Amino acid sequence: MDTPADHAPPGTIDPRPHREAVVVLDYGSQYSRLIVRRIRECRVYAEVLPWDAPADRVRALAPRAIILSGGPSSVYEAGAPSLPAHVLDLGVPVLGICYGMQLLAHHLGGQVRPVERREFGHATVTIDEPGHPALAGLPATPVAWMSHGDQVVALPPGFRSIASTGTCPIAAMAGTAPGGHAPVIGLQFHPEVAHTPQGLDLIRNVVLGIAGCAPTWTAGSFIDDAITAIRAQVGPGRVLCGVSGGVDSSVAAALLHRAIGDQLTAVFVDNGLLRKDEARTVVASLREHLGVHLVAVDAGADFLAHLAGVTDPEAKRMVIGERFVRAFEREARAAAADGGPFEFLAQGTLYPDVIESATPETKAAAKIKTHHNVGGLPADLAFRLVEPLRYLFKDEVRAVGTALGLPDEIVWRDPFPGPGLAVRVLGEITEDRLAVLREADAIFVQEVKAAGLYRGLGQVFAVLTGARSTGVQGDYRTYGHVVALRAITTDDYMTADWARLPFDLLARVASRIANEVPQVNRVVYDVTSKPPATVEWE
Ligand code: XMP
């Protein structure tokens, strides 16, 4: 079930805080979402909108400041993205970063020119006006990250340069919006990236100091606001929520439960393809620990029966998607027959999905795998969507989960594919093969956790490769399974690197698996990054 892009679909509950917000207008920079993250680190709510978002959408957030991102264009190119009139009319502070600064200068009567050689890398900045509130507390010569082909060479009337570098005499500028008093600031360098060590201070100065926002946006305040918004919109209606055991759907269910109690019914379909003890943990945490009204259905036999003889990865995904819909539909109808129809369906959609589906390039990206989650639900189950996590990043969801009392085991669980172990048991899925993989996988994860490395990794898992190998176990020749271990580091799962796990850890895991899972006589470690491989083996 795809969530439409940049606009919440009609009927969607919008749990955004009615608190102070900063709007980041995106001019095509790969760093726009980083700007949002940095502002949120200052405990102020921020959201990214396309630069040409209609004025109403910007105004609806009642922004206390506007930040213009960088971008790949040049202000003097025909058709270059421009500065919408409402930005300066809002009367709030405006910060332009890189292209954003050039745009402000160009728009307000300054001049922008290409530099002789594109500047990319660290630069030492000289602060020329140490008393400027944007620069408060910064050292005299901070290091900053530059990446630009143009720069401001003449200031707009009434503006002054407040920082410079050897190659960029106007590295930061300050002035006020014409006809008003709202501060306008431009930075040629990027305060949002980690390569600018004082960047967060600068953003804090602008957001808290100049814009005067209060640092009140926390997991706790998010929960309070979300509860109010959910209650207001759901009213006395019933909400159905599918939970998979992953952090997103578990947090969504826990949050909804906090808001509307037994108006929420969570449905957990155990597809028989989960990891060792996973089903038990999920049910125990949500139902027993948090008191969520959870319908748990053990559909493992049905899934495995339909997977018999299916070996093609995409065919497996189709079967699993289809069986899931059937099981979910059955339970939804039974629960509706029991307590009345459901008006709402809750999903654990996160902000990166919302941002990404608004980007045309990602829409056009070639399909590598079909990623099923809830799959297409039947049309006659006509729901309105509730997406209480729609504006949160993953780490914020984890913070909310912890604040709601979910155990670390769920909050810090790494992402697990909807088709589960079916795409980690290569070839045919049988109970026996799943059992072998479950044991090997549990040993690997346990040892990585014991070594204190689990949280730093994107995903950690074992794969039953389907290959057989000759071994010698207890003086006997064996012909056993080959298990592969996969551990990755990644920022976004679009690309990934294989984790450089310590050899002694790998040795311990291999030895434990071969000893404790007698069907396995060989363990290998996957040293392929993505690309060319993918994260999962199927
Ligand atoms: P790949 O293997 O495509 O994985 O590099 C990237 C991320 O997506 C997860 N993944 C899936 N998630 N349904 C899902 O919900 C799927 O069919 C699926 N296949 C891969 C994978 O675990 C990784 O986090």
Side-chain angles (χ1 to χ4, degrees), residues 317 369-373 415-419 423-424 459 493 530 534-536 538:
R317 284 186 167 82
K369 297 179 186 178
T370 318
H371 284 201
H372 282 290
N373 281 327
F416 187 61
V423 291
R424 296 180 180 172
Q459 257 165 307
Y493 297 89
K530 171 183 180 176
T534 52
V535 175
E536 304 291 345
E538 282 194 341

Side-chain angles (χ1 to χ4, degrees), residues 23-29 31-32 34-36 38-39 66-73 94-105 145-148 150 152 171-173 184-193 196 199 202-203 206-207:
V23 167
V24 176
L25 291 184
D26 177 26
Y27 282 90
S29 164
Y31 299 141
S32 294
L34 263 185
I35 306 174
V36 170
R38 296 289 168 264
I39 300 166
I66 301 278
I67 300 194
L68 314 176
S69 82
S73 314
V94 179
L95 167 68
I97 295 172
C98 197
Y99 181 77
M101 168 184 185
Q102 294 156 16
L103 194 58
L104 287 166
W145 185 256
M146 290 279 200
S147 169
H148 62 118
D150 293 346
V152 176
M173 65 176 194
V184 174
I185 297 155
L187 300 176
Q188 184 51 67
F189 53 89
H190 289 271
E192 69 275 25
V193 302
T196 302
L202 236 154
I203 288 175
V206 171
V207 170

Side-chain angles (χ1 to χ4, degrees), residues 457-527:
L457 297 169
Q459 257 165 307
V460 179
F461 57 90
V463 176
L464 196 72
T465 64
R468 292 290 187 128
S469 92
T470 301
V472 47
Q473 285 165 293
D475 296 337
Y476 293 100
R477 176 189 187 277
T478 57
Y479 189 56
H481 284 290
V482 179
V483 160
L485 308 177
R486 181 103 166 116
I488 54 142
T489 54
T490 180
D491 287 331
D492 54 8
Y493 297 89
M494 313 274 275
T495 61
D497 198 4
W498 59 279
R500 283 14 176 212
L501 293 184
F503 284 169
D504 55 352
L505 168 62
L506 291 171
R508 203 160 49 242
V509 173
S511 137
R512 275 195 61 193
I513 291 178
N515 275 310
E516 296 172 35
V517 194
Q519 301 92 326
V520 178
N521 66 6
R522 194 174 298 266
V523 177
V524 298
Y525 188 51
D526 182 350
V527 292

Side-chain angles (χ1 to χ4, degrees), residues 401-426:
T402 301
L404 287 167
L406 284 170
D408 278 4
E409 215 175 321
I410 289 211
V411 167
W412 289 98
R413 174 161 298 179
D414 51 51
F416 187 61
L421 298 183
V423 291
R424 296 180 180 172
V425 168
L426 308 196

